[in-house]
C-alpha cells in the first residue's frame, strides 16, 4: 500500500491517494488501512480521482463506501480550473 501525498493541516495528518482512470473499492481499503495505521483516529483521508461518475452503478457504490469510511472524494479534477480546485481542496478542512 502506498500514499501519494501526506500533509499536515495544523496537527491533523491528511493522507491523499490519487487515481487516474478506473477506481475500485480496493483503493478505498488501501487508503483507509494506511491512514488508520500511521495517522491514528484523527487522520483525514482523501481520494483524488478523474472519472468516478463514468463508472455508473459502481461509481455510486464507491461514493457510498467512501462516505461510510470517512474518505473525502475530489473527483473530476481534470475538468476544474485552478480556482475551483483550490475551493474544493479548502473545503476538506470544513468537516
Amino acid at each position: 500500500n502506498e500514499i501519494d501525498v501526506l500533509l499536515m493541516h495544523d496537527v491533523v495528518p491528511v493522507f491523499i491517494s490519487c487515481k487516474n482512470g478506473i477506481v475500485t473499492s480496493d483503493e478505498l481499503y488501501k487508503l483507509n488501512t494506511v491512514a488508520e495505521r500511521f495517522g491514528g483516529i484523527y487522520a483525514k483521508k482523501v481520494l483524488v480521482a478523474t472519472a468516478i461518475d463514468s463508472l455508473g452503478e459502481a461509481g455510486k457504490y464507491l461514493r457510498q463506501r467512501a462516505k461510510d469510511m470517512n474518505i473525502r472524494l475530489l473527483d473530476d479534477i481534470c475538468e476544474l480550473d485552478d480556482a475551483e480546485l483550490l475551493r474544493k481542496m479548502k473545503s476538506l478542512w470544513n468537516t
Side-chain angles (χ1 to χ4, degrees):
N1 295 346
E2 65 181 48
I3 287 296
D4 295 306
V5 179
L6 173 60
L7 60 94
M8 297 293 291
H9 182 257
D10 294 327
V11 296
V12 177
V14 181
F15 293 81
I16 303 173
S17 180
C18 303
K19 298 297 171 199
N20 187 20
I22 295 175
V23 179
T24 65
S25 59
D26 191 44
E27 299 303 330
L28 298 176
Y29 295 106
K30 290 177 187 177
L31 174 58
N32 194 58
T33 299
V34 171
E36 285 183 354
R37 173 77 168 103
F38 297 105
I41 62 173
Y42 299 108
K44 289 193 177 196
K45 302 163 279 193
V46 180
L47 176 65
V48 178
T50 56
I52 292 176
D53 288 335
S54 68
L55 300 174
E57 287 300 314
K60 290 179 185 176
Y61 172 78
L62 191 72
R63 286 184 187 284
Q64 185 58 51
R65 284 301 298 142
K67 184 177 180 181
D68 295 344
M69 299 170 82
N70 293 317
I71 296 175
R72 297 291 306 266
L73 294 178
L74 287 180
D75 58 332
D76 297 330
I77 60 159
C78 57
E79 298 176 6
L80 302 177
D81 62 25
D82 291 344
E84 183 65 12
L85 179 59
L86 181 60
R87 186 194 66 72
K88 281 192 167 197
M89 289 176 68
K90 285 182 177 181
S91 75
L92 295 173
W93 319 130
N94 295 335
T95 59

